[in-house]
Amino acid sequence: MKNDLWTFTNRNGDFIFSKPEEISRLYFPLANEAEFMSSVTPLLKGDIKIGQNNFLMLPVTSEDLYSTISGRNFWIYINQNNYWAINGTPHLPDNHDEEVTLKAGILWHTVKRTNKIIGLTAEITNFIPASGEHVELMTVKIINTSARAITFTPTSAIPIFGRSADNLRDHRHVTSLLHRTKLASNGIIVKPEMSFDERGHKINFYSYYVLGCEEDSALCIGQFPSIESFIGEGGSFICPRAVFEDYAPVKKVEARHHGKEAIGALRFRKKTLIPDESITYILMLGIAQQPSEIKRIYEKFNNIDKVKNALRDNIDYWKKRIDAISFCTGELINDNWLRWVGLQPILRKIFGCSFLPDFDYGRGGKGWRDLWQDCLTLILAYPEQIRDILIANFSGVRIDGTNATIITKKPGVFISDRNKISRVWMDHGVWPFFTLQLYINQTGDFDILFGKSTYFYDSQLSRAKEIDTSWNPNLKHFKQLHTKDGHLYQGTVLEHILVQHMVQFFNVGKHNNIKLEDADWNDGLDMASEKGESVAFTCFYARNIYEITMLLLELKKRRKKKTIRISKELFILLDRLHSRPINYNRSDEKVTLLRRYLNAVKTRVSGKKVSVKLENLIADLSQKWQWMFSHVRKKEWIALNKNSGFFNGYYDNRGKRVEGKINSRIRMTLTGQVFPIMSGISSKKQTKHILAAANKYLKDKKLGSFRLNTDFKKPQTDLGRAFAFSYGEKENGSVFSHMCVMFAYALYQRNFVQEGFSVLESLMHLATNTRVSKIYPCLPEYFNLEGKGMYSYLTGSASWYILTMLTQVFGVKGHFGNMIIEPKLSSRQFKDSDTVSMSCYFAQRRLSIIFVNPEKIDFLDYKITEIKIKPFKIAYKRSGTRKLKFLREDILSFPKNTHITIEITLDK
């Protein structure tokens, strides 16, 4: 696919973008894994922070990117008639004589700006060192591109906000009075005396700084410590009097400079460049807790060779990280775009769901769903690194099957909702097992099921229907579940999984589907807590219970294990092991049994364990998932005609069906179809009918992908706020990447390969059509009615896209620790070449898997006919199979540091 705005320049994801300033809301992430975070635009706007309470630069949203003039400003002053803001001022008419090109790669960003009138070119590079320092490095290279010598005076102008984002609208002036500014020989350091925010009044230990030097370590000749001293009375950031009138810099901080809005305005010595000569200025924009950190960072990066080495190390570091899972599809744009998608789960781990301009909500961190889904690609790449994290994450589960909603940066540490709002997302119970199952399949580590973890405890009881008024959040032991005799209670990971799924099996509405409660995956379905039901996630829970059953069968076979121990209270929900099991067709009987369980675990548990025979547990679970499958198939299918139909996905707060033909209009959701297909509840015939309906009612013919729902035309106050959004935005009918990718995943699972490939391809085409999407290479959260990409980089859809490409498209996946290769490749993927490949890790071995399809045969027609394993000179032929199985012990027999290549021939 051709893109006329930017072009990839290699296979590492590097690209060149012409005239990037013509798109108003472009932004680019910079970060390291020490969680120093920033965003930068073609005009060098954006912000820099380490968290909600520590912003170096002014916090910005996407709307600020074109309206603010605060940024990483750098001025060149020649005389009163010739001056230049090298970061760009596109609103000024003389900027028509500037040429701008942006070059960027994985977490580095360079803007090249040429001013034809003045005769200078500036190349500005920004990156955050991968070595872990809390600093953004910025180099400004000035080149004389004229035919004459040019003399100029350079001045940086980077405003220092130096406090919490809360203070943008909460005591902004008062908190500036706390600033104490120090002029160092190499820059400006601001250390507020205190901080005022929701945490209270505290002594501050953080310093915010802008340091600088020339390429040979020559220092600046002075500074302007406050915005007042820089812009001058009557001046502005567009016309700063310190630049335009060539003010002499301040040599010493006076009392009048303290308690003011600060700025990293460093004046460098006057410089003359002859034609083709250049000079580079180095700026360090950072946050530190100790003065020694500032000194150490300056000494590490205070000449151009040090910075070049740091940039080279940065590029190498991120290349290695992204290479962990990489693809060669035969299309350069697709392969490079996938590198950016592969970066996104790492960015979400660093940024959480905040701290980039589109994400103007939250206070950092991530939600429960994010916590687990962001593990997916990490498990595929480095499963051995994540075992302890998975076990620790289960300590966020409550004994009523709900979970903590605020996740701290420390694994296994959770807090109650900071807004003290009791709410429950009914889908939260599915994600931990889905993630754990992937881990077990990749590693064969069944022992993790018996790892011990605590349960989260706070004032929220009985799935947020009751409150423990005695709960004290200031007492540490109150944050974990205890027994009635006061001991800390722990259960196995398996017990936590069973709690999450058994509670939900009985937590049903009058239509016998699991209650919607305060929302499911779609946060916008938040107004049906009384009578709402989610058929969609009933399907997901049903599939999980099926998969748990299969896992236990394998456990029984592998470990010869006959019994497991679970809490005495949980046994209540294993009703098929009771003398009087309930009737699953009676929703009232289910709710009564659940109430009995919730009363038994309300504030504390007995601490007593019971032994359950594994074969009996398997029998109980089998009856549950079989009943759920049958129920949805019988009760929720909507036939439109003999070739078209779909599943109802929801009931609203009146207990009415949401989907179907209502008031002569078809209402349909994509979510309501994805999970019946993915779970296996939808038959092959029904899946064909769903595709026919989705193509007619959900597919946007112009954009080529599927919308989240049809237009319901008016707010749905009995279902959720989403339907008050403008249609085509966010959860109301946008092309929502996450659900589209899961749709593709589900279709691949069911061998609808062409259809699944088309969904994935449509998202890639939307994302890389920048004239429409108006984004850099990435997979955004959604595409709106116009096709514009919204909420770039921090979306769970990226993990699912990589998961789908690896385990479904290329078919490389684990199964109870063994490796399965089951490629589901469309003939369209071989249009330009007869070979595609991918690289990944399995059992800590580096693998490259090459698929050769000389006749370009489609999935349903090809078989695996030949296998070659290099460098071991292993070769053998196969016939009549589309799937290979490699035992784990066979893979482990290969030397650990050997790069293994498996070449697979596909033929008739």
Side-chain angles (χ1 to χ4, degrees):
M1 177 184 170
K2 185 179 179 182
N3 188 313
D4 61 352
L5 286 179
W6 52 262
T7 305
F8 285 117
T9 59
N10 54 28
R11 298 197 63 84
N12 294 328
D14 300 354
F15 62 90
I16 295 178
F17 199 125
S18 300
K19 300 182 179 180
E21 74 279 8
E22 293 184 359
I23 297 179
S24 298
R25 293 176 177 83
L26 281 175
Y27 63 83
F28 189 89
L30 298 173
N32 61 21
E33 294 193 275
E35 298 185 356
F36 193 74
M37 303 166 280
S38 70
S39 58
V40 63
T41 75
L43 298 175
L44 305 185
K45 298 174 185 179
D47 57 30
I48 301 173
K49 61 267 160 181
I50 58 173
Q52 174 73 8
N53 298 308
N54 301 97
F55 275 73
L56 171 65
M57 293 175 66
L58 188 75
V60 296
T61 70
S62 57
E63 295 303 313
D64 298 316
L65 298 181
Y66 60 86
S67 60
T68 186
I69 50 177
S70 176
R72 300 165 178 82
N73 306 316
F74 196 98
W75 286 90
I76 297 294
Y77 174 81
I78 298 174
N79 54 49
Q80 288 186 342
N81 298 316
N82 287 290
Y83 40 81
W84 184 32
I86 67 162
N87 50 294
T89 48
H91 48 279
L92 298 179
D94 62 359
N95 262 47
H96 291 299
D97 290 303
E98 285 190 1
E99 292 180 354
V100 184
T101 302
L102 182 144
K103 297 179 182 179
I106 302 294
L107 301 187
W108 62 269
H109 180 277
T110 298
V111 177
K112 182 178 180 180
R113 189 178 295 273
T114 298
N115 189 309
K116 297 178 184 177
I117 294 176
I118 291 177
L120 295 176
T121 292
E123 290 183 4
I124 309 103
T125 296
N126 296 73
F127 68 98
I128 293 173
S131 46
E133 290 80 11
H134 279 187
V135 67
E136 179 185 309
L137 300 180
M138 175 174 169
T139 60
V140 180
K141 183 178 182 179
I142 306 297
I143 310 160
N144 184 349
T145 49
S146 74
R148 66 188 187 282
I150 299 177
T151 299
F152 60 87
T153 301
T155 308
S156 70
I158 302 166
I160 298 175
F161 185 67
R163 49 203 190 269
S164 170
D166 294 340
N167 300 135
L168 194 60
R169 287 288 301 163
D170 184 5
H171 294 89
R172 177 165 182 180
H173 173 252
V174 171
T175 51
S176 73
L177 302 180
L178 303 168
H179 284 184
R180 299 296 182 268
T181 303
K182 175 185 176 182
L183 295 190
S185 61
N186 56 357
I188 289 180
I189 302 170
V190 178
K191 185 180 180 184
E193 294 282 15
M194 299 182 71
S195 64
F196 296 166
D197 52 45
E198 67 169 11
R199 302 167 299 168
H201 298 37
K202 295 187 175 185
I203 295 296
N204 169 64
F205 295 99
Y206 288 93
S207 295
Y208 305 84
Y209 62 87
V210 175
L211 309 180
C213 63
E214 295 182 15
E215 59 188 23
D216 59 358
S217 305
L219 298 170
C220 58
I221 60 172
Q223 301 99 333
F224 302 93
S226 67
I227 290 177
E228 282 183 8
S229 66
F230 177 68
I231 66 173
E233 201 65 44
S236 68
F237 279 125
I238 297 176
C239 300
R241 297 186 70 181
V243 173
F244 282 38
E245 299 178 27
D246 201 17
Y247 284 1
V250 172
K251 298 292 186 181
K252 181 181 178 182
V253 167
E254 301 174 11
R256 64 189 175 91
H257 294 129
H258 294 305
K260 300 287 175 63
E261 294 285 358
I263 187 169
L266 313 184
R267 170 66 56 77
F268 294 93
R269 62 187 172 180
K270 187 175 289 188
K271 180 70 178 178
T272 299
L273 295 179
I274 62 174
D276 297 323
E277 189 181 11
S278 68
I279 184 171
T280 299
Y281 301 94
I282 300 166
L283 296 171
M284 305 169 206
L285 292 59
I287 303 172
Q289 284 188 279
Q290 299 295 334
S292 58
E293 292 179 47
I294 301 175
K295 180 181 178 182
R296 179 177 60 82
I297 286 171
Y298 180 76
E299 290 176 351
K300 185 171 182 178
F301 302 113
N302 65 349
N303 70 47
I304 192 61
D305 289 334
K306 293 177 180 179
V307 176
K308 284 181 177 178
N309 288 337
L311 178 57
R312 191 178 304 112
D313 291 344
N314 194 68
I315 291 170
D316 290 345
Y317 177 86
W318 289 111
K319 181 181 183 302
K320 184 178 179 181
R321 290 285 270 124
I322 304 305
D323 279 346
I325 301 174
S326 60
F327 304 93
C328 182
T329 66
E331 292 190 26
L332 185 65
I333 286 182
N334 194 24
D335 296 346
N336 277 292
W337 178 74
L338 283 168
R339 292 185 72 80
W340 286 95
V341 176
L343 173 68
Q344 288 180 228
I346 301 172
L347 290 178
R348 245 237 310 227
K349 185 174 183 289
I350 296 169
F351 283 86
C353 295
S354 305
F355 302 139
L356 283 178
D358 273 333
F359 298 80
D360 53 0
Y361 55 84
R363 309 175 62 80
K366 59 179 69 177
W368 180 258
R369 201 180 297 124
D370 314 321
L371 177 71
W372 297 94
Q373 292 189 92
D374 290 351
C375 289
L376 297 177
T377 52
L378 297 176
I379 290 170
L380 293 171
Y382 309 107
E384 67 282 352
Q385 297 179 10
I386 209 164
R387 186 184 199 273
D388 292 343
I389 294 173
L390 290 176
I391 294 174
N393 286 350
F394 276 99
S395 62
V397 176
R398 294 189 186 92
I399 197 68
D400 65 0
T402 63
N403 52 269
T405 53
I406 304 297
I407 288 84
T408 68
K409 292 185 181 295
K410 186 176 179 181
V413 178
F414 304 88
I415 57 177
S416 295
D417 191 293
R418 57 170 56 94
N419 298 315
K420 296 182 174 60
I421 300 173
S422 296
R423 52 189 169 186
V424 172
W425 285 265
M426 63 79 63
D427 68 302
H428 278 187
V430 302
W431 307 110
F433 175 72
F434 185 86
T435 306
L436 181 74
Q437 181 189 23
L438 179 66
Y439 168 81
I440 293 173
N441 277 334
Q442 292 296 113
T443 63
D445 179 14
F446 282 79
D447 289 340
I448 195 173
L449 292 170
F450 303 99
K452 295 289 185 66
S453 191
T454 56
Y455 285 86
F456 182 70
Y457 188 85
D458 61 358
S459 62
Q460 190 167 302
L461 303 174
S462 301
R463 300 189 69 83
K465 296 298 187 291
E466 299 181 58
I467 296 293
D468 181 358
T469 56
S470 67
W471 180 71
N472 184 347
N474 297 317
L475 298 178
K476 185 177 180 181
H477 72 274
F478 267 63
K479 296 178 182 178
Q480 295 171 314
L481 180 69
H482 283 67
T483 63
K484 291 176 181 177
D485 57 7
H487 293 105
L488 182 67
Y489 179 75
Q490 290 187 312
T492 63
V493 166
L494 177 57
E495 182 185 280
H496 284 70
I497 291 165
L498 290 172
V499 165
Q500 290 181 299
H501 289 80
M502 295 303 95
V503 167
Q504 287 294 68
F505 177 80
F506 295 98
N507 184 31
V508 296
K510 72 175 185 178
H511 300 282
N512 224 337
N513 302 293
I514 299 173
K515 289 180 179 177
L516 181 57
E517 297 178 301
D518 298 308
D520 64 5
W521 167 90
N522 188 335
D523 294 340
L525 306 185
D526 56 356
M527 299 174 72
S529 60
E530 296 169 6
K531 296 182 181 179
E533 299 174 36
S534 175
V535 181
F537 277 89
T538 296
C539 295
F540 205 151
Y541 277 102
R543 180 67 187 191
N544 272 7
I545 295 172
Y546 165 81
E547 295 290 355
I548 294 168
T549 306
M550 298 301 106
L551 195 65
L552 294 177
L553 282 167
E554 182 68 15
L555 177 69
K556 183 171 179 283
K557 182 175 71 174
R558 285 190 172 211
R559 294 184 46 153
K560 310 298 183 185
K561 198 170 183 68
K562 294 184 178 180
T563 63
I564 64 164
R565 291 176 62 76
I566 61 171
S567 71
K568 176 184 175 184
E569 291 83 356
L570 180 56
F571 188 75
I572 293 170
L573 300 180
L574 302 179
D575 69 299
R576 285 323 192 231
L577 309 187
H578 301 175
S579 58
R580 297 180 62 186
I582 69 169
N583 181 354
Y584 289 165
N585 292 318
R586 294 283 302 272
S587 60
D588 58 332
E589 289 190 28
K590 284 184 174 179
V591 172
T592 298
L593 187 64
L594 177 61
R595 192 176 299 121
R596 180 182 157 200
Y597 170 79
L598 294 176
N599 286 335
V601 300
K602 188 169 290 184
T603 56
R604 298 202 171 191
V605 292
S606 66
K608 295 178 180 177
K609 303 278 188 178
V610 296
S611 292
V612 177
K613 287 184 177 180
L614 207 50
E615 60 183 336
N616 291 343
L617 176 59
I618 289 167
D620 179 277
L621 298 180
S622 295
Q623 291 191 48
K624 286 179 167 65
W625 71 256
Q626 288 171 18
W627 182 89
M628 295 172 86
F629 273 50
S630 175
H631 168 76
V632 174
R633 284 170 177 158
K634 290 178 180 177
K635 300 292 186 180
E636 302 302 340
W637 178 252
I638 300 166
L640 298 179
N641 55 52
K642 65 178 183 178
N643 296 314
S644 179
F646 54 89
F647 284 95
N648 171 52
Y650 294 96
Y651 288 88
D652 65 18
N653 215 33
R654 298 170 300 162
K656 300 291 186 182
R657 239 183 200 180
V658 169
E659 298 181 61
K661 193 170 185 179
I662 299 172
N663 297 327
S664 302
R665 296 183 64 88
I666 294 295
R667 289 184 178 177
M668 182 180 179
T669 70
L670 186 59
T671 313
Q673 317 319 312
V674 166
F675 296 111
I677 296 172
M678 189 186 294
S679 66
I681 286 174
S682 173
S683 68
K684 185 175 181 179
K685 181 179 179 181
Q686 286 174 321
T687 302
K688 287 181 178 179
H689 288 188
I690 289 170
L691 282 164
N695 280 315
K696 182 174 182 178
Y697 297 109
L698 294 177
K699 190 169 186 177
D700 186 299
K701 304 304 184 287
K702 180 181 177 183
L703 300 181
S705 201
F706 293 88
R707 299 205 166 276
L708 198 54
N709 54 270
T710 55
D711 189 354
F712 284 25
K713 295 297 183 184
K714 61 181 181 180
Q716 303 294 307
T717 54
D718 289 309
L719 186 55
R721 62 186 160 93
F723 298 95
F725 297 154
S726 175
Y727 183 70
E729 295 287 346
K730 232 173 177 346
E731 290 98 344
N732 186 21
S734 71
V735 175
F736 213 94
S737 298
H738 199 168
M739 194 51 64
C740 283
V741 176
M742 288 195 284
F743 187 34
Y745 181 92
L747 291 170
Y748 270 104
Q749 264 195 332
R750 303 298 299 281
N751 290 338
F752 286 82
V753 169
Q754 297 286 2
E755 295 81 358
F757 176 69
S758 293
V759 177
L760 293 179
E761 188 178 49
S762 70
L763 293 175
M764 189 272 289
H765 284 170
L766 277 172
T768 56
N769 183 6
T770 302
R771 286 212 178 270
V772 177
S773 67
K774 296 178 169 54
I775 55 175
Y776 289 132
C778 72
L779 180 62
E781 181 182 90
Y782 73 91
F783 300 90
N784 68 11
L785 207 59
E786 307 159 71
K788 181 181 176 183
M790 304 294 293
Y791 295 78
S792 293
Y793 300 109
L794 309 182
T795 165
S797 57
S799 284
W800 272 85
Y801 204 106
I802 298 300
L803 176 73
T804 304
M805 287 294 297
L806 181 62
T807 67
Q808 298 300 318
V809 180
F810 284 88
V812 181
K813 55 197 168 190
H815 185 253
F816 299 149
N818 301 315
M819 184 174 72
I820 304 297
I821 301 179
E822 186 184 8
K824 296 181 179 179
L825 296 164
S826 165
S827 58
R828 289 153 60 192
Q829 291 170 269
F830 295 94
K831 62 183 179 181
D832 297 322
S833 171
D834 63 2
T835 301
V836 297
S837 63
M838 51 78 57
S839 296
C840 66
Y841 285 92
F842 196 90
Q844 298 183 307
R845 270 61 177 172
R846 180 67 173 163
L847 305 177
S848 289
I849 303 174
I850 301 169
F851 298 95
V852 182
N853 187 352
E855 301 300 321
K856 301 182 180 181
I857 305 167
D858 214 359
F859 165 67
L860 291 176
D861 299 317
Y862 67 61
K863 301 287 191 301
I864 294 172
T865 60
E866 188 175 3
I867 303 99
K868 297 177 182 177
I869 303 176
K870 303 172 184 178
F872 306 107
K873 298 181 180 179
I874 300 171
Y876 53 95
K877 295 185 181 296
R878 295 289 295 268
S879 61
T881 182
R882 293 197 192 98
K883 182 192 295 188
L884 298 175
K885 180 178 179 179
F886 292 84
L887 296 178
R888 189 173 192 83
E889 51 264 35
D890 292 338
I891 297 172
L892 290 173
S893 69
F894 296 132
K896 196 170 183 178
N897 295 323
T898 303
H899 190 148
I900 304 161
T901 300
I902 303 174
E903 184 179 301
I904 297 170
T905 301
L906 308 174
D907 210 333
K908 290 186 176 181

